[in-house]
Amino acid sequence: MTTSRLRGSLVTAVTWVLVLAFFFPVAWMVFTAFKPERQAATMPPTFAPDLTLSGFQAVFDRDMLPYLINSLSASVGSTLLVLVLAVPAAYALSIRPIVKVRDALFFFISTRFMPVAASIIPVYLLLQSVGGLDNITWLTILYIGVNLPIAVWMMRSFLAEVPRELIEAAQLDGARLGTEIFRVVLPIVMPGIAAAGLICFIFAWNEFFLANLLTAQVARTTPPFLTSFVDGRGQFLAVLSAAATVAIVPVVIAGWIAQKQLVRGLAMGAIK
Amino acid sequence: MTVLMSAPTTRRRARSAGSAAKQSRRSSLAVSRAMLWPALATSIVLTQIPFVVTIFYSLQNWNLLRPGDRGFAGLDNYVSVLRDGSFLSSLGATVAVTGSSVVLSTVLGLLFAVLLDRNFRGRGLARTLMITPFLVMPAAAALVWKWSILDATTGMANWALGLVGIPPVAWNTDVPIVTIIAVLTWQYTPFAMLILLAGLQAQNKDVLEAAAVDGAGPLRTFGWITLPHLRQYVEIAVLLASIMLLQVFDPIAIMTRGTGGTKTLSYLLYERAFVGLEVGEAAAYGVMTVLVTIVVATVALRTLFKVFSTEGLGR
């Protein structure tokens, strides 16, 4: 039996090596963010730098805050609106009787799979003609279109798990639709709503193509702003790493905390 | 490619005969529709109508630099798209980038799913670390990989190669396509892993025990029981990853700007439309991209079905 235990610990060791190798780029980025610029890009790499916050200082001296706020308002705004639209729709598709459920579901998921290429040109020209370029509200509205299908799909699979007897009992009690939803169903699927919301938030926060194309100064969000830290004239790796660290921290921490819901939401949204 | 709902029931509701039960069924149907329509309408307005307009543009002769010349062009744009060598090479680049990233991240995702499904100390932490690349903003990932990991003189990749005596490689300039595939594989492996891990956990433990009792070794059990069970999960992982990666834009715009065989369809369209200002031609590229997506999604599914049903992996 000792050989099998030995083999077990060997597999565990290999697992850890691989996992750490995969995590390394993130760890190295955060580490580099705390280095002074002159030690950030060296060969061989500096493993014992003079730790400093000057990278982060430089990031906020370059006024990163407005970009973060733009990202936050587009992500939070679009996520809330998506949920307001998606939860009733998913409810109609899973709990209340309706014809052509499959068609509607198929429609939603097909819009998610349609490349942005299919719609970006008219959208750009329309925004240009109404003066909607570089406007955070329009970006928020477009993010609704991107995230709505995922939210409907995920919410439907969460709602399908609500025991039907519960709802039927509420209906027999003469509970009206509003009560049915708010008192009986919502509390049960709250974790599902949180998961769907989190995934929409992550996608909106990380979105680059639309943000890069449709915003310039005023409504610029974080992802396209990050690219401005690449500086052809000199060393920039520490400040770039600091900016990237600030940019990914909200989503990574949220993802870690809500990991269970996130995993369940992704797997269920994908499979059921 | 879309299926619309049938018209609402206003007309039917006008004839208000029938039993009370029928009545309540109908009204509840109306409520359902009222709940569904806002989302449906939003989705149609934001995605379907622009696509129809794109098709319309693709039939027009229209360059933003020459607004006076606008007119109906028939299929001219499609003809010039197909004649122009850049479409075919771009299609090749798309298939190469998407195909290798999807295959690599599915294979690695399967490996990690199996490893992280075992019981071992710190499994929760390992899983948490493993999903992180998927959470990282793609723009940040592209920048960090390009300048911190793959840089020819100061990158960690070349440093690591140097430790085992391999001379440095100028990743960003000599093999740009490898840098794109590396980043995409890194970001999508956790995604594939999550789906496959869900598949492993949904496996019936009794069957596995029975196999062990019958004397099947772990490898045979894996090949004959686990892999066939995972089939639908692999399919979904491949399908979703292909569809997402087909439209990938961020790392290409940030790392290579389409050089060295990385000019995928979405980047080509971006260049034609927003650098070249060729609206009609770019719209034709857009329509072609949608067609390619549909074909790839279909072919990906079919092929997978075949591979699994005729070969029965793991012999």
Side-chain angles (χ1 to χ4, degrees), chain A residues 8 12 16 22 28 43 45 91-92 96-97 99 111 113 115 118 122 124 145 148 177 205-206 208-209 251 256 259 271, chain B residues 28-29 31-33 35 39 46 48 50 54 118 122 128 132 135 137 148 153 159 186 233 243 249-250 274 290 293:
Chain A
T12 303
W16 272 109
F22 242 78
W28 189 250
M43 191 54 120
Y91 185 81
R96 300 191 67 88
V99 284
T111 66
F113 291 163
Y124 181 86
L148 191 53
L177 180 65
W205 179 269
N206 287 347
F208 176 82
F209 180 77
V251 156
W256 283 352
Q259 200 184 135
I271 284 156
Chain B
S28 103
L29 211 62
V31 172
S32 295
R33 293 211 157 104
M35 293 168 85
L46 288 175
Q48 304 308 291
T54 303
R118 290 172 64 247
T128 303
T132 310
L135 298 170
M137 181 181 286
S148 189
T153 50
W159 174 74
W186 183 67
Y233 295 86
I243 288 166
F249 179 82
D250 316 10
F274 303 108
V290 173
T293 307

Side-chain angles (χ1 to χ4, degrees), chain B residues 17-175:
Chain B
S19 66
K22 254 187 185 168
Q23 189 91 37
S24 91
R25 221 187 101 70
R26 263 185 212 146
S27 83
S28 103
L29 211 62
V31 172
S32 295
R33 293 211 157 104
M35 293 168 85
L36 182 60
W37 266 101
L40 214 48
T42 310
S43 218
I44 291 169
V45 169
L46 288 175
T47 61
Q48 304 308 291
I49 293 177
F51 181 48
V52 173
V53 179
T54 303
I55 297 175
F56 172 68
Y57 284 171
S58 75
L59 303 173
Q60 297 224 316
N61 186 5
W62 185 11
N63 186 308
L64 287 181
L65 295 175
R66 301 186 300 274
D69 282 351
R70 193 175 165 185
F72 185 71
L75 294 175
D76 284 3
N77 287 322
Y78 290 92
V79 172
S80 59
V81 161
L82 290 175
R83 279 224 186 110
D84 186 354
S86 46
F87 176 73
L88 277 185
S89 69
S90 195
L91 192 60
T94 310
V95 171
V97 168
T98 309
S100 4
S101 319
V102 168
V103 168
L104 285 173
S105 41
T106 309
V107 169
L108 285 173
L110 181 61
L111 174 70
F112 277 109
V114 170
L115 289 177
L116 295 181
D117 191 40
R118 290 172 64 247
N119 251 323
F120 64 95
R121 193 184 294 210
R123 182 173 76 172
L125 178 64
R127 283 186 186 169
T128 303
L129 295 182
M130 217 20 234
I131 62 165
T132 310
F134 182 65
L135 298 170
V136 169
M137 181 181 286
L143 288 165
V144 166
W145 272 83
K146 175 164 184 179
W147 298 107
S148 189
I149 306 290
L150 295 173
D151 188 78
T153 50
T154 61
M156 294 304 283
N158 280 344
W159 174 74
L161 289 183
L163 290 184
V164 288
I166 300 173
V169 181
W171 303 101
N172 292 319
T173 47
D174 288 356
V175 281

Side-chain angles (χ1 to χ4, degrees), chain A residues 176-190:
Chain A
R176 303 179 53 190
L177 180 65
T179 328
E180 178 189 324
I181 293 183
F182 281 104
R183 291 272 171 76
V184 183
V185 180
L186 269 191
I188 302 178
V189 294
M190 218 46 204

